[in-house]
Amino acid sequence: GVPFIQAPGEAEAQCSEIVKGGLAYAVGSEDLDTLTFGAPIMMRYLTVSEAKKLPIAEYTLAKILEDMQLSMDQFIDMCILLGCDYCDSIKGIGPKKALELIKEYKTIEAILENIDQEKYKVPDNWSFAGARELFKNPNVIDANDKELQEAIKWDQPDIEGIVNFMVNENGFK
């Protein structure tokens, strides 16, 4: 009774598409790339153990963009500058410097034309354009797809099956 789908690409991208399409409230993830894929709302620390006493955090992309005074394209470039699943970061550029550079130059291309590349070491064959393309046009099933919409509908859960899966197969108590 628990719905699931097999994403054709990154799970965070597919979940972001589902939320953007209004089929779910938020994406639950520890991977902040979820926001870079455009998830309107992301919930973090959903699976943190009670012992760590971390509250669930809710991130709203529109609020983040507003507070940082960035467009979505600038946010994507800033995230790439900081390092993501698809390419390394530029040595010496942390969050404060990345935001400063994006606000001043607007794009990675303009930043690369203007920074001291002796001070800030750009990785060899840095594939920032490929990473940007993956974030802007991920391989996902469209939220309007009828099969997707049917696949994520909740049904009566099989309690015995869930307990067997969680306890016997995966060692939960």
Side-chain angles (χ1 to χ4, degrees):
V2 177
F4 70 94
I5 62 165
Q6 181 65 47
E10 289 288 330
E12 289 81 12
Q14 185 63 64
C15 292
S16 297
E17 173 66 16
I18 289 169
V19 174
K20 285 190 275 187
L23 302 174
Y25 173 73
V27 176
S29 180
E30 297 304 308
D31 190 340
L32 293 175
D33 279 352
T34 302
L35 293 168
T36 317
F37 281 117
I41 300 174
M42 177 187 155
M43 306 294 276
R44 195 167 184 208
Y45 309 128
L46 289 170
T47 59
V48 172
S49 75
E50 184 65 28
K52 291 189 180 178
K53 302 286 188 219
L54 281 175
I56 294 171
E58 180 175 323
Y59 300 90
T60 304
L61 182 59
K63 179 85 170 115
I64 292 168
L65 295 175
E66 179 185 322
D67 289 352
M68 296 177 89
Q69 299 177 328
L70 297 177
S71 69
M72 187 63 190
D73 285 344
Q74 292 167 334
F75 180 72
I76 289 169
D77 276 7
M78 185 187 73
C79 292
I80 292 168
L81 274 176
L82 294 171
C84 62
D85 291 348
Y86 311 111
C87 61
D88 293 328
S89 60
I90 296 175
K91 300 284 185 246
I93 296 180
K96 185 176 177 181
K97 187 67 174 177
L99 181 59
E100 176 187 305
L101 289 169
I102 285 294
K103 284 189 170 197
E104 183 173 352
Y105 298 111
K106 311 294 185 220
T107 67
I108 291 174
E109 288 85 350
I111 291 168
L112 292 176
E113 290 172 8
N114 289 285
I115 62 170
D116 177 355
Q117 293 199 19
E118 291 297 314
K119 182 177 179 181
Y120 302 107
K121 299 290 185 196
V122 179
D124 293 334
N125 303 314
W126 195 47
S127 59
F128 71 88
R132 182 191 289 145
E133 179 63 23
L134 286 169
F135 285 123
K136 292 178 80 165
N137 298 298
N139 181 16
V140 296
I141 303 167
D142 188 279
N144 293 316
D145 183 278
K146 296 296 180 207
E147 286 183 38
L148 172 70
Q149 292 176 1
E150 281 300 312
I152 63 172
K153 284 189 178 171
W154 285 85
D155 200 358
Q156 196 63 13
D158 173 3
I159 302 295
E160 193 175 304
I162 293 171
V163 169
N164 182 55
F165 174 75
M166 298 298 292
V167 176
N168 298 331
E169 293 180 33
N170 290 289
F172 285 78
K173 292 186 178 182

